[in-house]
């Protein structure tokens, strides 16, 4: 007979506490994300009900009865477990609009006519229609005057420009800091960080003046120049340390074996520096994508996406679900970009990081 | 296959630092030349100037009679093995070796043949698909060598390629390098600070110090006919023993008088130094040229300080004044510390140096 190993109570307690902690921390991080995702799919009625539903309903159950002013529309409430009357009207147009905008359930007027016709023979009419889950997103991008789509494209342009400018200038400076010895090198390397010390708002006026003089005000190139200033500093530090980690002899070897200086850099050093460049690109992207204050100041008719989201949050009072959809639309490109670039940050050669 | 000619090469860094000064040298075809010297003597700088990685401040470098002083490295038709190997971590072993051949626009079939040939010669033909990070230090070193020989260069340059290997592997690789050189017959310049490595590999050794050439010669030359005190001290383990002596001539007989001994010189040795104008000399004796003899034949006697058994022989250290003199003695009989040993010098192997200049007489 085999004897069972005695349970080590202290160890079990430690392990259990550890996992409870881990789950707690994970929940604290994931719950807000979960709520904003779920909120962005809710209808207005759901978003303002209490308690808030954990998941959006996939379909809406309607009940039609004769009402005082016309037809009384009731909606099944999952939480109460009963039908609640929401609207009493004779106009089918108004009824259809209410269903579309408040309940995020598109029901055509012809459809409603048929249902109303059934009331002549029945006391109560029940019918179920599918929810439009993306209603908030459609509203957000379709809201007149905001032009969310052009703003999104503009923001992507700004991000691309910022990456190109800060990586080319910052990367070259980083290479110089890593490879060459010159007077005042350390001071210069520190001084590139000085530009990051100024709060953008404090120097907003001169920025507007200068950009306007350059004819860059309210244009993507202007904002990307402003964003590049801070990002160049970061890129210099990131790439300098990466280039320092790549032995110069790798480049020299390429030169001895038939490559020109430029080719040796492009074929040997650059691929090896890719993780650092990818990290720098990620910083540049996220910085440019999320920045709002300078974008508010430096744009008027051509806002960036972050400004549009900001205006939605402020402007659509009583529309948290719209704000959630905007927030999600704002977060998604950054998440996608980060996941895409992650591959390069974890670049491995033969299973071992360089 | 090529000859290399360096004429009055000087390299200055900034205004004050002179790394190599007035370095002239001719390397004939197929020679294995070793640049040997302590760190900071300019040997690596010289090699890098030959490769084109460093610009010569003055002087000219010719390969096969063609002036390459101002040519970039890629136009010099040389190849190099670096101290840290410098194999490209993002390429497989095959690509590392093939890279130079691809740049020469050779066709795939030829490249494949040449890569395999080089890999077989260096015994890494099983590793061609691996990345450098998956290889040991010794294997990476072989990749660096294979890469260098695959291009069939005019000149084969090596910058301390063995210094990062452990002692046992270093000795084994040394032998293989020599065998590879015998097969490829490429003119080679090898830089090292390890005198044993230099002795075992070189056709000729160039001993450098402070950016200049001290002595050029075969391993035999630099060992037995060291040009000065520095070379005699630098070459050989344990190094040459030096003793201050005075030359005395009595009744037509020459003898050396030191604080601890007096030694009558043989006729040949006497003839060598009789005409020297200084009487104060430095006597250099190799450890194996001090012989243990019976008391009657002894020039000097001393107490053994320590003895280090080496298996095939033992190294006996004695104290003469404040100096320690080392003697290579046969393994038997074992000499115990405190035991008195009686010694004499092998007259044929004595070297005399001027006390002022340090030059050999």
């Amino acid at each position: 007979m085999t004897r069972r190993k005695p349970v080590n109570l202290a160890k079990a307690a430690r392990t259990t506490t550890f996992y409870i902690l881990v789950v707690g921390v994970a929940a604290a991080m994931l719950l807000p994300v979960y709520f904003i995702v779920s909120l962005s799919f809710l209808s207005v009625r759901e978003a303002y009900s209490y308690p808030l539903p954990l998941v959006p309903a996939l379909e809406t159950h309607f009940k039609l009865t004769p009402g005082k002013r016309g037809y009384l529309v009731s909606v099944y409430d999952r939480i109460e477990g009963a039908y609640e009357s929401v609207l009493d009207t004779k106009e089918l147009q108004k009824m259809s609009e209410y269903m579309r905008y408040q309940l995020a359930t598109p029901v055509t007027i012809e459809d409603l006519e048929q249902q109303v016709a059934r009331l002549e023979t029945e006391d109560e009419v029940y019918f179920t229609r599918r929810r439009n889950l993306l209603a908030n997103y459609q509203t957000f991008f379709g809201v007149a005057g905001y032009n969310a789509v052009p703003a999104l494209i503009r923001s992507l342009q700004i991000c691309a420009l910022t990456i190109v400018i800060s990586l080319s200038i910052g990367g070259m400076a980083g290479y110089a800091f890593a490879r060459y010895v010159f007077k005042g090198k350390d001071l210069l390397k520190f001084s590139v960080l000085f530009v990051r010390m100024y709060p953008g708002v404090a120097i907003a006026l001169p920025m507007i003046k200068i950009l306007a003089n350059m004819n860059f005000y309210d244009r993507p190139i202007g904002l990307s120049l402003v964003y590049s200033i801070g990002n160049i500093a970061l890129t210099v530090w990131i790439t300098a340390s990466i280039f320092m980690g790549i032995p110069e002899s790798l480049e020299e070897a390429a030169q001895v074996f038939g490559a020109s200086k430029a080719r040796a850099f492009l074929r040997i050093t650059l691929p090896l520096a890719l993780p650092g460049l990818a990290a720098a690109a990620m910083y540049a992207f996220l910085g440019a994508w999320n920045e709002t204050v300078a974008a508010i100041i430096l744009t008027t008719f051509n806002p960036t996406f972050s400004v549009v989201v900001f205006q939605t949050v402020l402007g659509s009072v009583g529309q948290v679900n719209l704000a959630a959809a905007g927030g999600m639309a704002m977060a998604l490109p950054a998440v996608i970009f980060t996941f895409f670039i992650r591959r390069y940050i974890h670049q491995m050669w033969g299973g071992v990081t360089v | 296959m090529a000859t290399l000619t360096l004429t009055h090469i000087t390299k200055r860094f900034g205004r004050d630092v002179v790394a190599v000064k007035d370095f002239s040298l001719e390397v004939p075809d197929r020679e294995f030349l070793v640049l040997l010297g302590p760190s900071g003597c300019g040997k690596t700088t010289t090699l890098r100037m030959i490769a084109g990685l460093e610009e010569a401040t003055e002087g000219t470098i010719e390969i096969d009679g063609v002036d390459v002083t101002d040519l970039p490295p890629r136009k010099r038709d040389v190849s190099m093995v670096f101290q840290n190997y410098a194999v490209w971590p993002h390429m497989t072993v095959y690509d590392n070796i093939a890279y130079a051949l691809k740049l020469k626009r050779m066709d795939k079939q030829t490249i494949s043949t040449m890569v395999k040939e080089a890999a077989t010669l260096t015994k890494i033909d099983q590793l061609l698909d691996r990345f450098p990070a998956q290889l040991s230090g010794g294997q990476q070193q072989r990749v660096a060598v294979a890469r260098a020989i695959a291009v069939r260069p005019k000149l084969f340059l090596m910058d301390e390629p063995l210094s990062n290997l452990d002692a046992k592997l270093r000795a084994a690789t040394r032998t293989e390098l020599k065998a590879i050189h015998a097969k490829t017959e490429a003119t080679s310049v090898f830089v090292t600070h390890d005198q044993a490595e230099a002795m075992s590999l070189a056709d000729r050794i160039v001993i450098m110090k402070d950016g200049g050439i001290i002595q050029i010669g075969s391993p035999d030359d630099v060992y037995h006919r060291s040009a000065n005190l520095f070379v005699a001290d630098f070459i050989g383990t344990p190094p040459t023993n030096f003793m201050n002596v005075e030359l005395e001539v009595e009744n037509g007989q020459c003898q050396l008088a030191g604080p601890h001994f007096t030694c009558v010189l043989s006729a040949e040795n006497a003839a060598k130094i009789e005409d020297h104008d200084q009487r104060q000399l430095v006597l250099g004796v190799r450890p194996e040229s001090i012989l243990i003899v019976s008391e009657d034949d002894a020039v000097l006697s001393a107490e053994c300080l320590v003895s280090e058994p080496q298996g095939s022989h033992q190294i006996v250290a004695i104290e003469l004044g404040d100096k320690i003199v080392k003697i290579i003695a046969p393994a038997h009989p074992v000499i115990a510390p405190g035991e008195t040993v009686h010694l004499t010098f092998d007259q044929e192997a004595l070297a005399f140096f001027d006390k002022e200049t340090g030059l050999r007489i």
Side-chain angles (χ1 to χ4, degrees), chain B residues 65-316:
Chain B
V66 180
D67 188 341
V68 298
T69 317
D70 297 320
L71 289 183
R74 66 178 191 280
K75 295 195 176 149
R76 296 192 178 198
D77 209 0
V78 300
S79 71
M80 187 159 167
V81 179
F82 289 78
Q83 184 172 10
N84 61 356
Y85 316 141
V87 290
W88 301 304
H90 58 308
M91 297 185 192
T92 60
V93 171
Y94 183 94
D95 289 333
N96 260 285
I97 304 174
Y99 183 64
L101 307 173
K102 282 178 190 161
L103 286 179
K104 286 188 174 173
R105 299 182 191 283
M106 293 183 174
D107 65 278
K108 273 198 172 151
Q109 200 55 50
T110 321
I111 291 177
S112 172
T113 320
M114 289 175 85
V115 169
K116 289 205 176 105
E117 206 176 299
T120 312
L121 201 57
T122 47
K123 296 174 191 158
I124 49 166
D125 44 332
Q126 302 300 314
L127 308 171
L128 288 175
D129 298 328
R130 304 255 193 110
F131 280 94
Q134 297 164 315
L135 304 179
S136 69
Q139 287 169 329
Q140 289 188 27
Q141 203 268 349
R142 283 160 190 275
V143 176
V145 173
R147 182 175 69 177
I149 59 177
V151 294
R152 311 228 169 110
K154 282 185 177 170
L155 257 186
F156 193 34
L157 309 175
M158 286 167 274
D159 183 9
E160 308 208 18
L162 306 178
S163 62
N164 287 350
L165 301 178
D166 64 71
K168 201 170 175 186
L169 194 56
R170 195 182 314 161
T173 315
R174 195 162 79 188
T175 314
E176 280 178 37
L177 270 185
K178 197 162 186 176
I180 288 172
H181 176 253
K183 270 183 214 161
T184 59
E185 296 190 319
T187 312
S188 305
V189 181
F190 186 103
V191 161
T192 183
H193 62 260
D194 181 342
Q195 53 91 22
E197 210 167 278
M199 298 287 278
S200 57
L201 282 170
D203 292 328
R204 272 200 307 163
I205 298 178
V206 176
I207 295 170
M208 293 182 69
K209 190 193 173 196
D210 300 331
I213 299 175
I214 304 293
Q215 187 175 9
I216 304 177
S218 67
D220 212 38
D221 284 337
V222 295
Y223 189 83
H224 293 295
R225 290 172 287 281
S226 308
N228 63 10
L229 285 174
F230 171 75
V231 177
D233 188 40
F234 193 69
I235 301 282
T237 40
T240 307
N241 300 301
F242 299 110
M243 299 158 205
N244 290 321
V245 291
E246 195 179 344
L247 181 66
E248 291 171 350
V249 186
E250 269 176 33
N251 316 327
Q253 199 182 36
C254 283
Q255 64 174 27
L256 294 175
H260 305 285
F261 64 90
T262 317
C263 166
V264 178
L265 282 180
S266 70
E268 292 88 13
N269 277 331
K272 250 197 275 182
I273 59 170
E274 238 173 357
D275 300 331
H276 196 67
D277 49 3
Q278 299 283 329
R279 284 292 172 248
Q280 298 289 335
L281 304 172
V282 177
L283 171 69
V285 203
R286 292 272 170 202
E288 68 273 20
S289 304
I290 303 179
L291 309 171
I292 296 178
V293 289
S294 64
E295 201 171 349
D296 302 335
D297 300 330
V299 170
L300 73 141
S301 300
E303 226 171 63
C304 170
L305 188 66
V306 285
S307 79
E308 303 165 12
Q310 301 286 313
S312 60
H313 58 272
Q314 59 182 327
I315 298 169
V316 180

Side-chain angles (χ1 to χ4, degrees), chain A residues 247 249-261 263-264 267-269 271-272 349-354, chain B residues 48 51 53 73-74 78-80 82 84 86-91 99-100 103 105 131 133-134 144 147-148 151:
Chain A
S249 59
L250 293 182
E251 239 174 274
E252 289 175 345
Q255 286 179 45
V256 168
F257 287 112
S260 64
K261 225 171 171 164
R263 192 200 276 266
R267 185 72 186 86
I268 307 295
T269 312
L272 291 173
W349 309 110
V352 184
T353 37
V354 181
Chain B
R48 288 170 60 84
L53 296 170
R74 66 178 191 280
V78 300
S79 71
M80 187 159 167
F82 289 78
N84 61 356
V87 290
W88 301 304
H90 58 308
M91 297 185 192
Y99 183 64
L103 286 179
R105 299 182 191 283
F131 280 94
Q134 297 164 315
R147 182 175 69 177
V151 294

Side-chain angles (χ1 to χ4, degrees), chain B residues 312-358:
Chain B
S312 60
H313 58 272
Q314 59 182 327
I315 298 169
V316 180
I318 58 166
E319 228 170 348
L320 285 185
D322 56 351
K323 265 196 181 147
I324 287 178
V325 171
K326 288 195 171 177
I327 302 149
I328 292 180
H332 296 285
V334 176
I335 295 162
E339 200 177 311
T340 306
V341 285
H342 307 288
L343 307 165
T344 188
F345 302 126
D346 178 359
Q347 292 277 346
E348 280 174 31
L350 293 184
F352 306 96
F353 301 94
D354 187 285
K355 205 172 178 184
E356 306 266 302
T357 60

Side-chain angles (χ1 to χ4, degrees), chain A residues 43-354:
Chain A
S43 68
V44 180
R45 201 185 121 75
E46 278 177 317
Y48 284 92
S49 61
Y50 184 86
L52 202 64
L54 281 177
V55 283
L58 294 176
E59 44 198 18
T60 315
H61 305 282
F62 293 102
K63 185 176 90 172
L64 271 183
T65 46
K68 281 181 192 144
R69 272 176 266 166
Y71 312 104
L72 182 68
V73 183
S74 303
V75 177
Y76 184 74
D77 191 309
R78 282 181 297 156
I79 293 153
E80 299 286 329
Y83 281 91
E84 281 189 356
S85 44
V86 290
L87 186 71
D88 185 0
T89 180
K90 210 160 59 182
E91 293 169 59
L92 296 184
Q93 171 81 35
K94 201 176 165 191
M95 199 186 288
S96 173
E97 270 170 23
Y98 181 88
M99 287 170 170
R100 180 185 298 275
Y101 294 121
Q102 297 294 307
L103 305 174
T105 313
V107 185
T108 58
I109 295 176
E110 293 83 56
D111 191 2
L112 284 175
E113 278 168 354
Q114 285 180 12
Q115 304 305 330
V116 167
R118 282 168 62 194
L119 265 183
E120 288 170 14
T121 52
E122 298 163 43
D123 290 343
E124 293 171 337
V125 176
Y126 294 92
F127 63 99
T128 301
R129 292 292 174 267
R130 283 187 59 183
R131 275 274 322 275
N132 177 13
L133 279 179
L134 295 176
N136 290 329
Y137 292 90
Q138 284 162 356
T139 317
F140 177 81
F141 281 103
V143 177
Y146 278 152
N147 281 326
V149 175
L152 183 77
I153 293 168
R154 221 172 284 129
S155 270
L156 289 174
Q157 275 176 348
I158 291 171
C159 287
L161 275 171
T162 308
I163 290 175
V164 169
I165 295 172
S166 48
L167 243 63
S168 52
I169 296 179
M172 284 193 275
Y175 187 78
F177 278 123
R179 286 290 149 86
Y180 300 108
V181 182
F182 50 88
K183 250 187 193 161
K185 180 171 152 176
D186 288 342
L187 188 70
L188 201 63
K189 204 173 165 193
F190 266 111
S191 68
V192 296
L193 287 177
F194 292 169
V195 292
R196 292 186 70 89
M197 302 192 312
Y198 286 99
V201 180
I203 51 167
L205 207 60
M207 275 201 304
I208 293 173
K209 184 93 175 79
I210 292 169
L211 284 186
N213 283 344
M214 293 165 83
N215 201 15
F216 283 166
Y217 181 75
D218 206 13
R219 287 171 63 186
I221 177 75
L223 268 182
S224 57
L225 278 180
V226 172
Y227 296 159
S228 294
I229 295 167
N231 276 318
I232 285 171
L234 260 186
T235 310
V236 165
W237 278 80
I238 295 174
T239 54
S241 61
I242 286 282
F243 285 131
M244 267 189 252
I246 301 171
E248 210 176 342
S249 59
L250 293 182
E251 239 174 274
E252 289 175 345
Q255 286 179 45
V256 168
F257 287 112
S260 64
K261 225 171 171 164
R263 192 200 276 266
F265 174 79
L266 290 176
R267 185 72 186 86
I268 307 295
T269 312
L270 207 58
L272 291 173
L274 206 62
L277 294 175
M282 196 179 77
Y283 270 107
F285 180 92
L286 294 180
W289 181 260
N290 294 336
E291 208 286 337
T292 319
V293 177
I296 291 172
I297 299 168
L298 296 173
T299 58
T300 33
F301 303 111
N302 299 311
T304 64
F305 196 63
S306 63
V307 175
V308 171
V309 172
F310 168 73
Q311 287 167 345
T312 317
V313 176
L314 273 194
S316 60
V317 182
Q319 292 268 302
V320 284
N321 50 332
L322 269 194
M328 281 303 296
M330 178 89 206
L332 211 58
V335 172
I336 291 171
F337 184 80
T338 309
F339 268 93
F340 169 74
I341 206 113
R342 205 180 66 113
R343 274 173 27 139
Y344 296 96
I345 292 178
H346 289 273
Q347 185 87 58
M348 288 191 262
W349 309 110
V352 184
T353 37
V354 181

